[in-house]
Amino acid sequence: MKRSGSPLTSLTYILKLTAKENLQLIAQYYQNPPKDLDALLDRVGLLPDKDKKVEGFSKGMKMRLNFIRSIMHNPTLMFFDEPTSGLDPVNAKLIKDIILTMKGEGKTIFLTTHNMTIAEQLCDRVAFLVDGQISLCDSPYALKLKYGRKTVKVDFMNHGIQGTSEFVLDQLSGNRKFLEIISNTEIRSIHSQDASLEDIFIKVTGRELI
């Protein structure tokens, strides 16, 4: 395709369209086109920018528009590659909430990411892929139970002095020091020493995340 004697790639053409025109174009490829494009744009915070050309969008705005393109036909099976890449925390949460909503509706979602926090927040099961092979696959909760330390860490204040102690979970109910701390000091925090998915990935594969 040429315009004014110059080649015009499909990418350039899309960038010359407005956000809403982009969705109108992509909608023509689907058997089940969306009924309300404004609602879709509003869902990712782009409604005020619907009549602006995409070439002027920031990376985060383009990411949100691409996300809407991928779900606008209400698919039951979806594949996302780093869906929150380039997004600030507010917009990243917006995209994660939409994914969780779709998961709650019974849709099947495959997510590829290097961000283990995202994987833990969104996935029912995670698989570590190394050199084309799945080295481990289970739920985040099961993996953290298996590879985490079976201890609980207590941070407390005792007569104005901050202290920290760690106790084995299996012996907690009969541990005199633990009972004394929680009975006679100001507890600042108490939590089990779960392994993060990043820790587990490194331990199982011997590699660090990029």
Side-chain angles (χ1 to χ4, degrees):
M1 177 179 177
K2 292 186 178 181
R3 180 176 296 177
S4 302
S6 300
L8 187 64
T9 65
S10 59
L11 176 59
T12 303
Y13 178 61
I14 288 175
L15 292 177
K16 293 295 183 181
L17 298 177
T18 67
K20 189 167 183 177
E21 288 170 343
N22 262 268
L23 297 188
Q24 290 171 333
L25 174 65
I26 300 301
Q28 297 178 38
Y29 296 113
Y30 296 120
Q31 293 181 346
N32 301 316
K35 297 179 180 179
D36 192 341
L37 296 179
D38 283 356
L40 286 169
L41 289 165
D42 189 42
R43 199 172 183 186
V44 294
L46 289 178
L47 184 58
D49 305 293
K50 69 175 183 177
D51 296 321
K52 296 179 182 178
K53 291 184 178 181
V54 176
E55 63 183 356
F57 278 16
S58 66
K59 179 181 178 181
M61 294 170 73
K62 290 176 182 176
M63 283 292 297
R64 284 181 279 153
L65 183 62
N66 286 337
F67 181 80
I68 285 298
R69 286 177 186 157
S70 68
I71 67 171
M72 62 190 297
H73 58 299
N74 194 30
T76 57
L77 174 63
M78 287 161 279
F79 293 82
F80 294 122
D81 182 18
E82 304 287 3
T84 62
S85 175
L87 298 180
D88 59 60
V90 172
N91 286 309
K93 184 179 186 305
L94 185 152
I95 296 300
K96 288 185 290 185
D97 287 345
I98 294 175
I99 291 175
L100 288 172
T101 296
M102 294 189 298
K103 185 176 77 168
E105 294 170 348
K107 300 180 186 298
T108 300
I109 302 169
F110 287 85
L111 173 69
T112 57
T113 182
H114 287 92
N115 189 323
M116 294 293 100
T117 300
I118 297 296
E120 184 174 348
Q121 291 173 339
L122 299 182
C123 299
D124 295 323
R125 293 177 65 81
V126 296
F128 295 151
L129 188 65
V130 181
D131 295 330
Q133 301 292 323
I134 295 178
S135 59
L136 191 64
C137 183
D138 211 330
S139 70
Y141 179 73
L143 290 173
K144 292 171 73 173
L145 280 181
K146 181 177 180 179
Y147 292 96
R149 300 203 311 271
K150 303 296 191 296
T151 61
V152 62
K153 181 181 178 182
V154 183
D155 293 322
F156 58 91
M157 294 292 291
N158 188 13
H159 300 295
I161 300 176
Q162 184 171 339
T164 299
S165 294
E166 193 168 324
F167 304 95
V168 178
L169 279 172
D170 292 342
Q171 304 171 8
L172 208 54
S173 61
N175 191 302
R176 285 189 175 183
K177 184 177 180 181
F178 172 76
L179 296 175
E180 180 181 346
I181 288 175
I182 64 173
S183 299
N184 302 316
T185 67
E186 176 190 349
I187 304 299
R188 306 297 296 272
S189 68
I190 180 169
H191 51 84
S192 60
Q193 299 300 286
D194 296 329
S196 68
L197 290 185
E198 182 173 344
D199 293 335
I200 297 169
F201 181 93
I202 294 172
K203 183 175 183 178
V204 171
T205 67
R207 301 187 179 190
E208 293 188 7
L209 294 168
I210 297 175

